[in-house]
Amino acid sequence: AQTVTQSQPEMSVQEAETVTLSCTYDTSESDYYLFWYKQPPSRQMILVIRQEAYKQQNATENRFSVNFQKAAKSFSLKISDSQLGDAAMYFCARGGATNKLIFGTGTLLAVQP
Amino acid sequence: NAGVTQTPKFQVLKTGQSMTLQCAQDMNHEYMSWYRQDPGMGLRLIHYSVGAGITDQGEVPNGYNVSRSTTEDFPLRLLSAAPSQTSVYFCASSPRGDPRDTQYFGPGTRLTVL
């Protein structure tokens, strides 16, 4: 089975500090895409960042960046200068040749003031 | 644009009842899909559609039917609800079935089957 694993069910970070959320995946495809989605208490799924597997450069979006290690099948999310609004469930997901997404089980991030 | 809309937001059913979860998008997206979210399991794909008249099964299709008669709408039918179908259901859409496309999710429907 092609899976996505998030080994940290919960994480906590102090406001203004940096936190890294881990994700590993398994795939037999050579071309695929990786995503981090944020789900706040409102339940809305919000795309945070996307990485294309054939690109070696790590994606960045403002305070959010990834560390993509293709050989290790690792895709971690770094949140810098954490804000109270970053508190949410974060899901790692993998997409392949079609747009079908396989999600991890999520990491609940708490931000302490 | 309203984006992706889902109705109802909440629903309680009794075992054996049938119902349809509605999903609509006004972005002229070809690709639409349904996911369910269960505690500790992330989101899992139920069914998807790459265009009007075309549907296919995802990871957990049993107990659900879909059809796609228009580009805008992608309803999910539960023919005989079971307690195992208690979940939060999300509809999503994207311009094409291309993984480079951003998928836009609806606000979800919380379904409880007693």
Side-chain angles (χ1 to χ4, degrees):
Chain A
Q2 301 195 22
T3 59
V4 175
T5 302
Q6 294 179 250
S7 58
Q8 305 154 316
E10 297 181 12
M11 293 282 286
S12 181
V13 63
Q14 291 292 127
E15 199 175 2
E17 297 295 309
T18 296
V19 65
T20 298
L21 308 183
S22 300
C23 173
T24 59
Y25 61 92
D26 185 20
T27 182
S28 57
E29 299 182 54
S30 58
D31 191 17
Y32 52 92
Y33 298 79
L34 299 163
F35 307 86
W36 279 98
Y37 278 88
K38 172 185 178 181
Q39 186 180 44
S42 67
R43 276 199 327 235
Q44 185 69 47
M45 294 290 287
I46 303 164
L47 179 65
V48 174
I49 199 165
R50 170 182 30 220
Q51 175 77 42
E52 300 176 18
Y54 66 88
K55 289 187 176 179
Q56 294 185 344
Q57 185 174 3
N58 289 327
T60 62
E61 288 287 343
N62 300 314
R63 298 182 295 107
F64 298 88
S65 61
V66 299
N67 183 6
F68 174 47
Q69 302 290 328
K70 190 171 184 178
K73 292 188 172 66
S74 170
F75 181 61
S76 60
L77 175 69
K78 185 172 80 171
I79 306 174
S80 304
D81 186 25
S82 297
Q83 300 175 0
L84 294 177
D86 294 334
M89 182 73 85
Y90 286 82
F91 290 98
C92 178
R94 182 187 64 75
T98 66
N99 219 354
K100 295 185 283 187
L101 295 175
I102 298 175
F103 285 85
T105 53
T107 296
L108 182 62
L109 178 66
V111 180
Q112 307 299 331
Chain B
N1 286 349
V4 179
T5 58
Q6 292 183 238
T7 56
K9 284 187 169 53
F10 302 92
Q11 183 70 49
V12 178
L13 292 178
K14 294 181 179 178
T15 298
Q17 286 185 315
S18 63
M19 80 158 296
T20 299
L21 306 185
Q22 301 291 346
C23 174
Q25 51 88 13
D26 60 358
M27 299 174 281
N28 201 32
H29 285 173
E30 292 294 326
Y31 187 92
M32 297 185 74
S33 56
W34 278 101
Y35 290 85
R36 61 178 287 173
Q37 182 178 19
D38 301 299
M41 299 190 72
L43 280 75
R44 293 180 293 167
L45 181 65
I46 304 171
H47 285 286
Y48 66 98
S49 169
V50 298
I54 306 169
T55 63
D56 206 347
Q57 296 181 352
E59 182 183 356
V60 287
N62 292 341
Y64 307 95
N65 283 348
V66 293
S67 60
R68 185 97 179 270
S69 56
T70 68
T71 298
E72 295 78 18
D73 301 298
F74 191 44
L76 179 71
R77 297 183 185 85
L78 285 70
L79 298 179
S80 179
S84 61
Q85 294 178 304
T86 293
S87 189
V88 179
Y89 291 85
F90 288 95
C91 179
S93 75
S94 64
R96 303 155 297 173
D98 189 320
R100 290 170 292 184
D101 291 340
T102 296
Q103 293 206 46
Y104 297 86
F105 283 81
T109 294
R110 181 177 293 277
L111 175 67
T112 301
V113 182
L114 302 176

